[in-house]
């Protein structure tokens, strides 16, 4: 029988790649979308507009348990990928309340709905390397203690605890993917990699001259989103539910990302990048580096797209799309 997948956050970066991936695997793909997004299709659904005819969209909200129950009862999904979240760490310092409410309650509502109305459904929770925060061990693996540094990180630790507890207490098939940063041409514009690639494109095309950034010394383990959605799927195909770190095992600073991105466009970052202290975070996560050996061993997963290719992909795609827009 055809498998049925339900994706929360299908309009986001990961949701759009995952939907494409599952369509190729012949799944019937459903997605939850906020009603406001449905009213503004051309803007809010830009990442999935090319596959809209191949998926089923339902209006629902993470804030409403009843709306989630209705969909789960109706479609009885084989797998749920819970990706929706207030995902921007910096914003979580400005609005801790909505970050905690959406990210913690949304996860709790879904788990509870699965337990009561569709207990055979396999559940994926989008955990994050932000859970490691002020890192207690280098590199970080599934056993590294958490030390979150933002409301966002705290919400993901709680979501992870809820997911594990539903697995242990109610015997549900629930997994957390502890994913390190992953980017793509579909990345949101507020995240540093897209801010850089889009900034480079605008400078290259003479639209702007400067790019203001915050902490250039922060280090991240950056992979490509296209690779990472495959790891999510692989987790739900195993016999036993478990949690996995997904990363590249390689680390670069924001400065290195910027240097390479400007170089791709034939520019020198030193002439264009300026530091704005207002863009520093109240509590920074200075360094993240993942050890994905458990995913490699058990899921037979490994990253395929290199850092260089990722940066090139993002910069070239932004240059092309600005040219296409006729700026
Ligand atoms: P993203 O592009 O920011 O997408 C977030 C999605 O969540 C969007 O579809 C958004 O819908 C939806 N959403 C936000 N608040 C919602 C609410 N209150 N109700 C319903 N939907 C809501 O994020 P992403 O990069 O794809 O990441 C996917 C998930 O993985 C997130 O949970 C993120 O925290 C986590 N994660 C990401 C990374 C990474 O590096 N990308 C790493 C680790 C973990 P709208 O379109 O309506 O805003
Ligand atoms: N956004 C942003 N903008 N970040 C900047 C800037 C800037 O102008 N300048 C420097 N940075 C630094 C941030 O201080 C941080 O150390 C790093 O760049 C990465 O910031 P983001 O791209 O905003 O991502 P993030 O690491 O905070 O969070 C992302 O990755 C997490 C996984 O570790 C998000 O995708 C989260 O949802 C995800 O969980």
């Amino acid at each position: 029988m055809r498998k049925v997948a339900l994706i929360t956050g299908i309009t986001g970066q990961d949701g759009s790649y995952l939907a494409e991936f599952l369509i190729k695997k012949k799944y019937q793909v459903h997605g939850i979308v906020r009603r406001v997004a449905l009213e503004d299709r051309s803007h809010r659904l830009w990442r999935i507009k090319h596959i809209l005819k191949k998926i089923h969209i339902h209006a629902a909200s993470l804030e409403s348990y009843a709306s989630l129950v209705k969909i789960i009862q109706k479609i009885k999904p084989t797998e749920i990928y819970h990706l929706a979240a207030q995902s921007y760490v910096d914003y979580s310092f400005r609005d801790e309340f909505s970050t905690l409410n959406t990210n913690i309650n949304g996860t709790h509502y879904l788990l509870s709905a699965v337990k009561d109305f569709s207990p055979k459904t396999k559940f994926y929770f989008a955990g994050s390397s932000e859970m490691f925060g002020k890192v207690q061990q280098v590199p970080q693996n599934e056993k590294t203690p958490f030390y979150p540094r933002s409301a966002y990180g705290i919400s993901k630790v709680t979501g992870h605890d809820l997911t594990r507890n539903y697995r242990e207490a109610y015997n549900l098939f629930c997994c957390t993917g502890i994913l390190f940063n992953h980017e793509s041409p579909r990345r949101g514009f507020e995240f540093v990699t897209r801010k850089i690639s889009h900034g480079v494109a605008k400078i290259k095309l003479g639209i702007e001259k400067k790019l203001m950034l915050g902490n250039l010394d922060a280090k991240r383990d950056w992979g490509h989103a296209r690779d990472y959605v495959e790891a999510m799927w692989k987790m739900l195909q195993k016999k036993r539910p478990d949690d996995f770190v997904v990363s590249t095992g390689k680390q670069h600073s924001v400065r290195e990302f910027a240097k390479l991105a400007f170089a791709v466009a034939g520019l020198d970052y030193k002439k264009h990048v300026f530091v704005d202290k207002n863009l520093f975070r109240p509590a920074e996560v200075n360094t993240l580096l993942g050890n994905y050996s458990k995913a490699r061993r058990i899921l037979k997963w490994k990253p395929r797209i290199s850092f260089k290719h990722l940066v090139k992909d993002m910069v070239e795609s932004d240059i092309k799309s600005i040219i296409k827009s006729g700026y």
Side-chain angles (χ1 to χ4, degrees):
M1 242 198 5
R2 202 169 168 202
K3 286 188 178 175
V4 178
L6 176 63
I7 304 175
T8 74
I10 196 166
T11 58
Q13 170 188 257
D14 292 5
S16 65
Y17 283 117
L18 180 65
E20 281 173 5
F21 178 86
L22 294 174
I23 289 168
K24 279 204 191 113
K25 294 242 168 248
K26 308 276 184 248
Y27 278 63
Q28 189 186 97
V29 177
H30 296 254
I32 287 173
V33 171
R34 297 194 252 194
R35 193 187 49 78
V36 281
L38 285 176
E39 281 175 0
D40 183 15
R41 284 171 176 259
S42 58
H43 289 108
R44 306 286 290 265
L45 305 187
W46 66 273
R47 294 185 181 95
I48 51 170
K49 65 172 189 290
H50 60 295
I51 50 168
L52 273 178
K53 289 203 174 106
K54 296 183 182 158
I55 59 181
H56 305 262
I57 293 295
H58 306 264
S61 144
L62 279 190
E63 286 78 27
S64 159
Y65 172 75
S67 73
L68 300 171
V69 164
K70 246 189 228 161
I71 295 163
I72 290 173
Q73 272 186 315
K74 189 170 161 200
I75 69 170
K76 285 265 187 294
T78 329
E79 295 164 13
I80 292 181
Y81 296 86
H82 175 36
L83 311 182
Q86 192 302 93
S87 68
Y88 186 30
V89 175
D90 191 49
Y91 182 71
S92 80
F93 289 105
R94 280 170 274 144
D95 189 355
E96 295 176 356
F97 291 88
S98 76
T99 304
L100 293 172
N101 284 339
T102 301
N103 294 6
I104 297 176
N105 292 342
T107 306
H108 186 202
Y109 294 160
L110 277 164
L111 283 164
S112 178
V114 167
K115 169 169 85 68
D116 290 338
F117 299 101
S118 191
K120 289 208 159 55
T121 297
K122 294 180 171 182
F123 183 87
Y124 172 87
F125 170 64
S128 163
S129 49
E130 276 289 306
M131 303 193 307
F132 297 120
K134 188 173 174 186
V135 297
Q136 304 294 296
Q137 188 187 330
V138 180
Q140 297 84 53
N141 64 26
E142 295 78 4
K143 295 202 171 98
T144 303
F146 298 133
Y147 195 129
R149 298 267 281 170
S150 62
Y152 172 82
I154 292 166
S155 77
K156 289 292 181 180
V157 171
T158 306
H160 172 54
D161 283 341
L162 280 165
T163 303
R164 182 184 36 74
N165 207 47
Y166 268 70
R167 178 165 79 216
E168 292 171 0
Y170 310 116
N171 210 20
L172 298 186
F173 193 111
C174 305
C175 305
T176 295
I178 307 175
L179 271 54
F180 282 64
N181 298 50
H182 45 281
E183 321 292 313
S184 73
R186 294 186 198 166
R187 189 52 145 154
F189 289 93
E190 64 272 54
F191 300 97
V192 76
T193 55
R194 187 73 196 276
K195 187 173 166 185
I196 294 172
S197 66
H198 198 239
V200 167
K202 283 190 289 187
I203 292 169
K204 178 74 185 169
L205 298 172
I207 302 166
E208 271 170 25
K209 288 199 163 60
K210 283 205 270 190
L211 176 62
M212 306 305 294
L213 294 174
N215 181 8
L216 297 180
D217 297 316
K219 293 190 176 124
R220 291 291 182 273
D221 179 331
W222 276 298
H224 199 297
R226 213 180 260 291
D227 279 344
Y228 285 35
V229 298
E230 187 181 4
M232 298 175 186
W233 173 76
K234 282 182 170 246
M235 283 179 218
L236 298 197
Q237 311 315 307
K238 297 306 293 180
K239 281 227 168 68
R240 274 184 345 101
D242 205 346
D243 306 323
F244 294 90
V245 159
V246 177
S247 67
T248 69
K250 294 189 183 127
Q251 193 185 48
H252 297 274
S253 64
V254 172
R255 187 190 309 280
E256 284 166 343
F257 192 104
K259 190 176 173 188
L260 183 55
F262 276 91
V264 166
L267 299 166
D268 178 0
Y269 85 104
K270 283 192 184 148
K271 293 192 177 138
H272 302 282
V273 170
F274 295 88
V275 170
D276 178 352
K277 290 274 174 204
N278 294 315
L279 296 172
F280 279 55
R281 294 177 181 175
E284 175 65 294
V285 170
N286 289 312
T287 174
L288 288 172
L289 177 64
N291 174 352
Y292 67 95
S293 51
K294 181 174 170 187
R296 188 176 48 209
R297 189 165 36 87
I298 298 177
L299 302 178
K300 312 282 177 236
W301 177 88
K302 63 171 189 217
R304 289 172 208 284
I305 305 170
S306 70
F307 179 71
K308 264 192 180 166
H309 184 103
L310 167 71
V311 178
K312 195 166 175 281
D313 190 18
M314 292 181 73
V315 171
E316 289 179 349
S317 156
D318 271 325
I319 293 175
K320 257 191 222 146
S321 70
I322 295 180
I323 291 174
K324 202 171 154 201
S325 74
Y327 66 102

